[in-house]
Structures are given as C-alpha cells and as structure tokens.
Amino acid sequence: MTDLDQLESQSVYILREAYNRIDKLALLWSIGKDSNVLLWLCRKAFFGRVPFPVVQLDTAMELPEVYAFRDRIAREWELDLKVEQCPPEEAMDPTLPPLTRAAARKTEGLRNLLRDGGYQGVFVGIRRDEQATRAKERIFSPRTLDGAWDVKDQPAEFWDHYKTRFAEGTHVRIHPLLHWTEIDIWRYSKREEIPIVPLYFARDGQRYRSLGEKNITFPVASHAATIDDIIAELAVTRVPERAGRAMDNESEDSFERLRSAGYM
Amino acid sequence: MDTHNTSKGQLRIVIVGHVDHGKSTLIGRLLHDTGSLPDGKVAQVHEMSRKRGMPFEWSFVMDALQAERDQGITIDTTQIHFKTAQRPYVIIDAPGHAEFLRNMVTGAAGADAALLVIDVREGALEQSRRHAYLLHLLGVRQVAVVVNKMDQVGFNAFRFDGVAGQITRYLEELGIRPTAVIPVSARHGDFIVSRTEEVDWYKGPTVVEAVDAFEPARAPVDQPLRFPVQDVYKPDDRRIIAGRIESGRLRVGDTLRFAPDNTTARVVSIEGWSAAPAIAAAAGQSIGITLDKRVFVERGHVAVLDGTPVGTAYRLTVRLFWLAPGTLAVGRTLTLKLATAEHRVTVEAIESVVDIEDLSTAPAKAVRRNEVAEVVLRSRSPVVLDRADVLPRTGRGVLVDGHDVVGGCIVLDYEDTGANLHAVGHAVAPAERAAVNGHAGGILWLTGLSGSGKSTLALGLERTLFKRGWQVFVLDGDGIRKGLGAGLGFSPDDRAENIRRVAETAKLFADAGMVVIASLVSPARTDRERARIIGGAAFHEVHVAADLAICEARDPKGLYSKARAGEIPAFTGVSAPYEEPEAPELSVDTGTLSQVEALDRLLAYAVGAFGNGAVSREDFAI
Ligand SMILES: Nc1nc2c(ncn2[C@@H]2O[C@H](COP(=O)(O)OP(=O)(O)O)[C@@H](O)[C@H]2O)c(=O)[nH]1
Ligand SMILES: [Mg+2]
C-alpha cells in the first residue's frame, strides 16, 4: 500500500463506521478541494453512491465559479443536494471581531440545519494541519446540546474505536480527513482525477489556496497553474494554508472562539 | 513529480512525560530548527509571550488553546506534521497531567514510536512511569529517552548518567530497550537538530538522528487472516460484505469461515469503485467482498481462512487501564468493543492491580482511575478474539459505559469454547431416534405479534401430537423469560440474547429427537436468522400472521392498552417494530382462519416435515 492508499483506507473505515453506527447523517460540502475529496471517498466507501444528503451552507457570498461547479457535480454524481441559507450578519454575536462575525453566519446556518433536519452526525472535511485548534480535534467529535465544542473535555479515542453514543439532542461532527495534509489532498486529487473548482489554479499571478466567501477570503500570489505546479509549490512554501482567510488571525483566539461556538 | 511522502512512509511519534518536563518546548524547538514552522509563527509566539510578560515560550507553538497558554499546561493532545531530510513525521504532543490521561492515551495509541521526556533535575516521576507503562500496553515498543533541561545543571554528565540509568532500568523491566538516551536543552536547542561542541562527553545521536533511526510500522500481512465485518451493503443485486483486513491476506477463491457462527463461504470477488478489480487484498485495506452463498453474516463477525483457528470465548483475562472517575469493582457490567463487535461483559474478578512505581502487583477489590489491573471478564455473547501478544489488533478493545469510553484492555488469556466444542459424538444416531419415536426431531419457530395466537396454536399442536405418540414440547416466550432468560430485558440486545438462548435450547431438544414448538414474538429478522443458523436444517419458521388491528382488538392480556397508555416501553407493534418474515416455511393467518382451521394447517405441516413418511422402523437394526 502506498501512503495515499493508507490515507484512503483509513477514511473509508471512518465513513463506514459512522454510516453503520449513526442514524441520521449529512455531509457538509463547501465545494472546496477537501470536501470534494471527502465526497469522492464516500463514493469509494459505498460503491458509487453517497447514501446521505450533501449540504452546502450558503451565504450567497461564494464566487460564481463555485456555484457553477456545485450544480454540475451534484447533477453528475446524483447527489442529494440541500442548500441551507445562512442567517444574515446582523444576527451574529456583536462582540466578535467583524470578519469573524461574517464567518459565524455558517455556524448559525449549521445550527438551523441540525435543528430542522434532526441530524445526529455531520461529516466535515477539516484537517489537523490546517489550523492549530483543528489539530486538537477528535475524529468523532461530540457537541453539546447548544452545538458547542467542549475542547477541554474531549472523549478518549483510540484503536479506531469512536464515540458513537450520545445524549439525546446532541450531535457529533465526523472528520474523516483529519489525518490528511494539504499536499496529500492534491496528490490524491491528481491520482484519482477528482474534479476541482478552477479558482485553485493561478491566473495573472494569483490563485486561491483556500476557498471561502468572497468578502473574507483572498487569493495568494502564485504561478501554480496545474495540480503538479501546486504540489511543487507546497513542497517548498512556508506560507500557511489559511493565510488568505482573514478571520483566522483577527485576534489571538478569534478562530478558537468561532470553533468552540460550533464553526467547522 | 510525485516525490513527496512516497519514498519513505510517514512515521508517527508521540512525545510523552511528566507535566512541565518540556514536551511542548521540545516540539516547538524541533519544528523551528528543522525549518518546519510556517512564516509568521515565530512572530505570533513572540506576541503571545510578550502579552503574558514571559520570555519567548516555545511551548506556545503547540499549545493552541487560550486556556493552555494562560495556565501554561497542555490540556489536549495535538498533532503536527514536519519533515527531516529522511522522511515526513507526525508529531503527537501528549499532555503530562494525570487529569488528562485519557488525552495522552488518545494521542499515544496511534504512534509508531515515542520520545519520553524527563527533566534531569527531577528524574522519572509518577507520570513518566505511568506513560512508559501505557506505551507498552498500547503497543508502542520503540522508545527514545530525552533527558531535558541539561542547561539547568551545566550539562553535568554525572547528573545525566543518574537519570539515564534509572529510566533505562525501568523500561527494561517493561521489556522496552530505549533506542537512545539523549541529553538536551529544549529551550536552547542543544542536541535537538545539531550537536553542541562544548559538550564533548556525549557521543550518541541528536533527537533528529534518533527519530530518523526509528523503524516504520509494518502492516501484519504475514499473520493469519482476520477480516472483521463492518457492514453489509446491497447497492444493487450485489451483497457486499464490507470491512478492513486487520491482519493477513485474502484472495478471490478463498473459503472463509465467519466466527462465531462458523458458516463458510467462498470469496467470489473483491469489489471496488473507480478502481481496477482486485484479486487479492491484505492487512490495512478497507475492502468489500461478495460470496458464493447467501450465508448469514453481520457486523461483528470475523472472517478467517477456513481450516485455521481463531479464539471464541465467554470468559477472558485482560490487562486493562481505567480512565473514568470512580472505581471499577467486581459485578460491574460494561460494553466491550473489540474489532467491530460489541459485547456486554461483567467483571467477574479483579486479579491484581499494578503498582506503577515498582511494577509489583497486589490484590485489590477495585480499580481506581488511571490504574492498570488484571481483570477477568465474562461476556454474554461469544467473543471472537486473539491473544494480544499474538495478534494485537484483534486482541484488544475498549470498554464503554453509557455513552463514554472508560478504559481499554488487551487480552492476556481466554477459555476457548470454540475449539473444544466439536460436537460430541453420540452412540445413538438421529435416524435411530427418529425410528423409535416415529418422527424426526425438529423446531417449529412460531413468530408473530402479541395476541396473534401463537400460544393457543402451540398448545393445541402439542396436545394433538402428544396424543399421536409424538415426543413434543412447547418453549413459550413468556415461560422462558423467568429462567432461561433471567436477567434479560426488552432492549434489542437483550431480545437477541434471549432468542439465542431459546434457539440453542430448542436445538438440544431437536437433537434429542423431540419436536420443539418455540413460541416467541421474536420481532427482529436478524435474530430469527440467527436462530435458523443455530437450528440448521431442523429449523422451520412459522409466521402466525394476524393484522395488528386484530391482535389489538383481541388484547387477551390487556398489554396493548397498557402499551398505548405508555406504560410498557418498546412494545412490539406499538412502540417497537415487528419485521415480518420474508420467506417463512409456513404462514398461518389467524385473522382469516378459524382456530380449528389454523391448527389443521399447522398439524399438516408438522406431519409433513417431521413424520416418518420416508423413514420406516424396519430400515434400522436397533
Ligand atoms: N531551562 C530550561 N527550561 C525548559 C527547557 N525545556 C522546557 N523548559 C521550560 O519548562 C516549562 C515547561 O515546559 P513545557 O514544554 O510546557 O512542558 P510540558 O508540560 O512537558 O509540555 C516551560 O516554562 C519551559 O520554558 C529546557 O531545556 N531548559
Ligand atoms: Mg505540554
């Protein structure tokens, strides 16, 4: 087995555990490179179909290329796509810094989705190497009744046994890509020929390294116009992946606060 | 182009040791000195340290939580990637505080190797020893020791030797020989990536050289096959058995035996999607297979190559570590998760508790939080397992109480029931019994809603057959519950176990030559399928069919009205499902037939199925 085979096998195992143990599941699809890989792995795990709804938390702020890609893939892959409209920024916690407040809309959208859909588990394509608080995550990460992440009291998780029993009314985040790195995602996308939003590839000396809403995400300087270029770039870069994500660095703990409150 | 991570696979290293001995600092330094920190990180850490009025604090690189930085301790485990010239690594930081031991276990269990960090001024304190012991239990066998804060003792060789000797002896008692013992100053970077020339008495490796010398873990492909079933999918007309191979290999054409039921079937294909069809698969791969026969297989079963042994036990001795607040005492019942199976287990005995300080064992009445003990567990269902020292992946499990994982255990020994239970031969053959009785032994399994008429039919048939001179006996669900099913409730697990016991009992009666009429609601299709496997060819499923409305109108015991009033939880038909048989041998609708007609149908079926139409007494010399 190559290292990519091992990553794939571990993710497939996680997906199948969740599907067997948890009643009502949904997958959060941001339409970015990571959740595309996640969808692909679902098709591997379940022999071609994705056996749960795929949800986009929509702020109406994504770039047009993203919406076009979403609709094409949903059709071609026969996804059960649900678009959840997130509440407006005015409704967010006013004590949060402004950009973080914009990001918090998704937290609220997710809260609504969980409440209305009665989901017990949601798949989220986050990775440990993206961000320091994500590095502290469990693969099966339980949430409190109000959807919060109690980072100081996480369950034991070892030997591939996950927390699959919960108190009534709580839900679990499932992170099948937690152990992947950014470069793994690209190498796997290349090997499997997974479709990708073209915004990741450089045009006029700029590309998106991490895709988010247009008001809080910015392209980085790059000449990487193909997947191979991106892989080569990542091998030498020292710029962090989420450098183009404004809300991460607004204050020392802005991202931790976002995540504790239920952000992805 | 594809040159990253491939030449050498990544290695996972956990950093363990007592709180404050410098684990997080060591990692921060390692990342910095190997050029693995992203731009801006050092500036960020400067700012965080300045705000707290501290000199540059390396541990802030790893301690991502506000609370961790404010209190200066690591609360939860974290993972970070870095590369040396040799290969990529995942570094796992584990908290050293006793209160967060479950987070340490979470971090350490997945590691290929460990660095044990010890403050030279303090030596191996309690958590250093506990971590070392747990590493050994968790199966992490490659350990290098890092003796830290050498700057505080002026790199005194004598002080180093004292600590190095102490921890080496301790590890060796656990069966671990450290691959290196390295004097370092994590804060100042001595012997992390580069050597410090002034310290000429140390000739061994630096930390980076020591981690580069660790061996990557190898998947146990050459061990016996263990393929625990994770799920069964029916995406189309295929029936795919999905799971991950934990050890060994599997090929198309192999005959597999699924323990504990021990049904066998041949592998027809290894299924994939968007991948070339495979003819073989090995340990570590998540796969799906199809079989040549429609045998009953479910999650929790373990496939092995037919003709090779695997343990099956109700009683097992384990070494366990207990992570929950409160103590574990004899009589406590928990759930054991081993591979993909779950079992209800009760603590039968606590043999001894291990003293972490000197590794001695002592008898104890209870196991306290964070202690390690040898314990005997008794399971209600057969556990398919291996000894941990033989096949670790199917020789260990976690213990669950309520919603939470409360501990882990490795299997030291077990009483193998599977191997010794080769059906004992009999001096009397089944056909001889049939000849004497005038009928064969067998099981009529009556399933249906409460009030559908099972008991009435069962008793009517028993009387009728008895008058004809048959050996016949009724096992009624209600009667059974007091004795055979004692201690079992009405949860799906308990119902399954109740049915298993009744099926095993019925099978004994049938083997003894009798006709058994088992009359049980048995609402779950999988439970009845299991009963069919236990009963084998002697098993005949009879659906006593009557609409829910009719049964409810009859309500002979007043149960439906109680259930509707919410007084009986999980009542079949009202608040719990009844899964109708898909292909019963016989279906009798007591809603449309009279009692006499229904009994006639059943009688005709029994005579046809078990009567000596084909077998006559004269064929046998008794
Ligand atoms: N003098 C000195 N102090 C150190 C060294 N390594 C760590 N420390 C300090 O020891 C304290 C605890 O370190 P930390 O890395 O948080 O320990 P952990 O609990 O094992 O992760 C911090 O204040 C560090 O600055 C060292 O090599 N020399
Ligand atoms: Mg620490």
Side-chain angles (χ1 to χ4, degrees):
Chain A
M1 282 174 97
T2 66
D3 64 326
L4 289 180
D5 294 333
Q6 283 172 17
L7 292 170
E8 177 190 83
S9 175
Q10 181 68 16
S11 298
V12 165
Y13 187 83
I14 294 163
L15 287 164
R16 288 174 174 172
E17 280 300 285
Y19 186 56
N20 183 281
R21 300 323 285 167
I22 294 170
D23 279 344
K24 212 162 174 235
L25 288 165
L27 183 146
L28 292 191
W29 186 28
S30 71
I31 317 170
K33 62 187 191 311
D34 304 304
S35 51
N36 288 352
V37 165
L38 184 54
L39 271 179
W40 190 264
L41 289 166
C42 287
R43 300 171 87 202
K44 288 238 168 180
F46 307 114
F47 301 95
R49 76 196 177 100
V50 181
F52 26 73
V54 170
V55 180
Q56 187 217 357
L57 299 175
D58 195 16
T59 52
M61 286 299 225
E62 304 291 349
L63 293 147
E65 289 89 337
V66 172
Y67 290 111
F69 183 87
R70 175 191 75 186
D71 294 339
R72 175 170 74 83
I73 294 296
R75 198 171 52 243
E76 287 175 8
W77 292 4
E78 297 177 5
L79 302 177
D80 175 10
L81 175 68
K82 292 190 171 17
V83 176
E84 175 78 28
Q85 297 301 338
C86 299
E89 202 172 317
E90 300 80 71
M92 299 303 113
D93 176 0
T95 73
L96 287 171
L99 299 172
T100 305
R101 194 156 54 225
R105 293 181 61 199
K106 291 210 171 175
T107 313
E108 290 309 313
L110 178 55
R111 211 186 292 271
N112 294 344
L113 171 81
L114 289 165
R115 191 193 49 236
D116 301 342
Y119 295 106
Q120 283 147 14
V122 278
F123 292 107
V124 186
I126 61 166
R127 308 188 322 268
R128 288 201 180 97
D129 76 326
E130 283 177 282
Q131 206 282 328
T133 61
R134 286 181 176 168
K136 299 251 176 200
E137 270 288 5
R138 296 292 188 265
I139 295 172
F140 280 57
S141 178
R143 302 293 145 145
T144 61
L145 264 180
D146 55 357
W149 180 40
D150 188 356
V151 63
K152 284 178 229 124
D153 186 20
Q154 299 203 73
E157 182 175 81
F158 55 99
W159 292 339
D160 298 329
H161 289 290
Y162 306 112
K163 184 169 170 74
T164 51
R165 301 180 185 185
F166 312 94
E168 191 77 27
T170 63
H171 78 281
V172 60
R173 303 281 175 86
I174 305 146
H175 302 132
L177 297 181
L178 209 52
H179 54 300
W180 294 56
T181 63
E182 186 183 10
I183 204 164
D184 294 332
I185 293 286
W186 285 112
R187 290 171 54 233
Y188 188 72
S189 298
K190 180 188 169 190
R191 183 181 95 171
E192 301 285 318
E193 300 176 13
I194 302 173
I196 194 86
V197 180
L199 292 166
Y200 284 105
F201 302 114
R203 255 194 329 208
D204 308 325
Q206 286 198 317
R207 75 178 189 91
Y208 283 89
R209 188 156 158 208
S210 171
L211 260 190
E213 295 88 326
K214 57 191 170 198
N215 51 337
I216 51 173
T217 312
F218 306 97
V220 295
S222 168
H223 291 287
T226 65
I227 291 199
D228 283 337
D229 292 348
I230 291 176
I231 293 168
E233 176 188 282
L234 292 180
V236 295
T237 187
R238 294 186 54 170
V239 177
E241 178 176 0
R242 293 178 63 88
R245 295 287 199 128
M247 80 266 197
D248 284 30
N249 306 309
E250 222 172 4
S251 73
E252 182 182 314
D253 65 341
S254 55
F255 200 65
E256 181 180 340
R257 282 180 66 194
L258 255 182
R259 296 211 70 235
S260 295
Y263 189 78
M264 280 65 68
Chain B
M1 250 343 288
D2 206 3
T3 53
H4 312 279
N5 293 347
T6 45
S7 50
K8 272 198 174 177
Q10 77 179 15
L11 200 102
R12 300 164 54 82
I13 298 178
V14 65
I15 318 292
V16 298
H18 202 87
V19 64
D20 264 355
H21 282 198
K23 297 178 294 298
S24 299
T25 308
L26 173 71
I27 299 171
R29 191 80 220 192
L30 199 57
L31 293 171
H32 178 262
D33 292 4
T34 53
S36 309
L37 289 180
D39 285 350
K41 191 75 195 181
V42 172
Q44 232 179 41
V45 171
H46 257 299
E47 175 56 21
M48 291 171 181
S49 310
R50 192 193 55 75
K51 259 184 17 198
R52 292 172 176 80
M54 302 165 81
F56 190 82
E57 185 50 63
W58 283 107
S59 60
F60 288 178
V61 171
M62 292 302 279
D63 291 340
L65 304 178
Q66 191 83 352
E68 292 181 319
R69 292 190 295 264
D70 288 345
Q71 296 167 39
I73 55 163
T74 306
I75 294 173
D76 208 335
T77 180
T78 194
Q79 304 200 358
I80 195 156
H81 296 259
F82 95 109
K83 266 196 297 244
T84 68
Q86 278 270 344
R87 65 179 157 210
Y89 290 92
V90 179
I91 295 284
I92 306 163
D93 188 17
H97 214 281
E99 198 188 324
F100 307 126
L101 195 72
R102 71 168 188 277
N103 297 338
M104 177 272 171
V105 167
T106 299
D112 303 313
L115 292 179
L116 175 58
V117 179
I118 297 179
D119 184 335
V120 66
R121 299 167 305 174
E122 301 204 298
L125 295 183
E126 189 189 349
Q127 295 311 317
S128 320
R129 292 172 191 265
R130 199 179 300 282
H131 284 188
Y133 195 95
L134 280 170
L135 285 177
H136 156 81
L137 248 181
L138 291 167
V140 183
R141 293 292 146 80
Q142 299 187 82
V143 180
V145 176
V146 175
V147 179
N148 189 29
K149 306 197 188 179
M150 287 298 294
D151 56 301
Q152 296 278 3
V153 296
F155 266 91
N156 182 313
F158 189 71
R159 297 286 296 273
F160 170 77
D161 287 342
V163 172
Q166 175 201 30
I167 189 64
T168 304
R169 280 192 299 279
Y170 186 82
L171 289 173
E172 281 178 351
E173 266 193 70
L174 290 174
I176 298 174
R177 179 176 292 274
T179 59
V181 185
I182 314 163
V184 311
S185 166
R187 177 175 284 172
H188 301 292
D190 303 278
F191 293 108
I192 306 294
V193 170
S194 55
R195 315 190 66 80
T196 301
E197 295 309 329
E198 304 86 77
V199 181
D200 54 4
W201 52 264
Y202 177 69
K203 305 288 183 220
T206 61
V207 172
V208 164
E209 286 164 349
V211 299
D212 280 343
F214 284 138
E215 299 277 338
R218 270 175 38 80
V221 290
D222 298 323
Q223 302 275 12
L225 174 70
R226 296 290 182 264
F227 176 52
V229 175
Q230 209 178 351
D231 213 335
V232 179
Y233 302 131
K234 296 166 193 125
D236 32 56
D237 53 357
R238 290 172 297 173
R239 180 163 170 271
I240 300 177
I241 317 294
R244 180 174 61 193
I245 303 179
E246 296 298 346
S247 56
R249 302 166 197 274
L250 171 158
R251 289 175 195 78
V252 169
D254 282 344
T255 300
L256 303 182
R257 181 164 62 87
F258 291 89
D261 285 353
N262 294 333
T263 47
T264 58
R266 220 165 38 78
V267 179
V268 171
S269 65
I270 299 172
E271 298 288 319
W273 175 82
S274 173
I279 53 158
Q285 281 180 266
S286 288
I287 59 167
I289 59 172
T290 62
L291 302 172
D292 67 335
K293 287 200 288 258
R294 230 201 96 89
V295 290
F296 176 70
V297 171
E298 65 178 350
R299 179 181 167 93
H301 288 181
V302 180
V304 304
L305 290 178
D306 194 27
T308 66
V310 63
T312 305
Y314 288 89
R315 194 166 180 274
L316 46 152
T317 305
V318 300
R319 183 169 296 138
L320 71 73
F321 48 94
W322 183 246
L323 300 172
T327 58
L328 176 69
V330 169
R332 177 86 167 265
T333 297
L334 301 163
T335 298
L336 169 67
K337 286 189 173 186
L338 194 153
T340 56
E342 292 190 12
H343 307 278
R344 293 294 284 167
V345 295
T346 302
V347 177
E348 190 175 282
I350 295 173
E351 305 277 33
S352 61
V353 168
V354 179
D355 182 332
I356 295 294
E357 203 52 45
D358 61 5
L359 300 180
S360 64
T361 56
K365 286 226 169 1
V367 187
R368 285 174 305 194
R369 184 178 195 189
N370 293 351
E371 277 184 341
V372 175
E374 255 176 53
V375 164
V376 179
L377 302 175
R378 179 171 287 283
S379 170
R380 288 199 199 167
S381 43
V383 185
V384 181
L385 77 182
D386 289 288
R387 259 176 38 199
D389 58 346
V390 181
L391 283 176
R393 302 188 65 91
T394 38
R396 66 192 185 195
V398 301
L399 295 162
V400 178
D401 185 27
H403 297 144
D404 303 314
V405 170
V406 289
C409 64
I410 64 170
V411 177
L412 301 177
D413 207 358
Y414 54 88
E415 274 173 25
D416 198 345
T417 49
N420 303 328
L421 281 189
H422 288 305
V424 179
H426 288 279
V428 183
E432 293 177 300
R433 292 185 204 279
V436 170
N437 292 337
H439 60 85
I443 304 165
L444 282 172
W445 190 278
L446 273 49
T447 169
L449 293 167
S450 177
S452 61
K454 297 181 300 298
S455 297
T456 313
L457 269 176
L459 296 176
L461 184 65
E462 184 183 40
R463 192 76 222 158
T464 312
L465 289 176
F466 181 75
K467 283 198 289 191
R468 295 186 177 197
W470 284 39
Q471 302 287 339
V472 57
F473 191 70
V474 171
L475 290 177
D476 192 275
D478 291 341
I480 294 304
R481 283 237 164 227
K482 292 185 201 78
L484 195 59
L488 298 174
F490 290 87
S491 68
D493 277 0
D494 280 3
R495 281 185 195 252
E497 174 60 13
N498 186 47
I499 283 163
R500 191 191 65 78
R501 291 184 193 176
V502 174
E504 290 285 1
T505 310
K507 170 77 162 111
L508 289 175
F509 274 94
D511 286 349
M514 305 185 77
V515 169
V516 192
I517 309 165
S519 155
L520 289 94
V521 178
S522 46
R525 204 169 281 149
T526 51
D527 292 346
R528 295 192 305 265
E529 275 195 55
R530 168 164 310 125
R532 183 184 290 277
I533 285 164
I534 293 167
F539 182 92
H540 299 253
E541 188 176 26
V542 179
H543 184 200
V544 183
D547 290 345
L548 178 61
I550 294 176
C551 296
E552 193 160 357
R554 289 178 185 153
D555 205 5
K557 294 172 227 158
L559 295 176
Y560 282 97
S561 48
K562 276 195 196 155
R564 290 284 178 209
E567 288 164 34
I568 309 176
F571 189 76
T572 303
V574 176
S575 45
Y578 178 76
E579 298 168 359
E580 293 201 353
E582 274 171 339
E585 272 77 9
L586 177 70
S587 181
V588 183
D589 187 345
T590 63
T592 53
L593 299 175
S594 72
Q595 253 187 46
V596 176
E597 287 168 333
L599 182 57
D600 271 351
R601 297 251 173 123
L602 188 59
L603 179 66
Y605 181 81
V607 171
F610 310 119
N612 273 2
V615 190
S616 68
R617 248 171 226 244
E618 289 76 68
D619 292 344
F620 294 89
I622 304 166

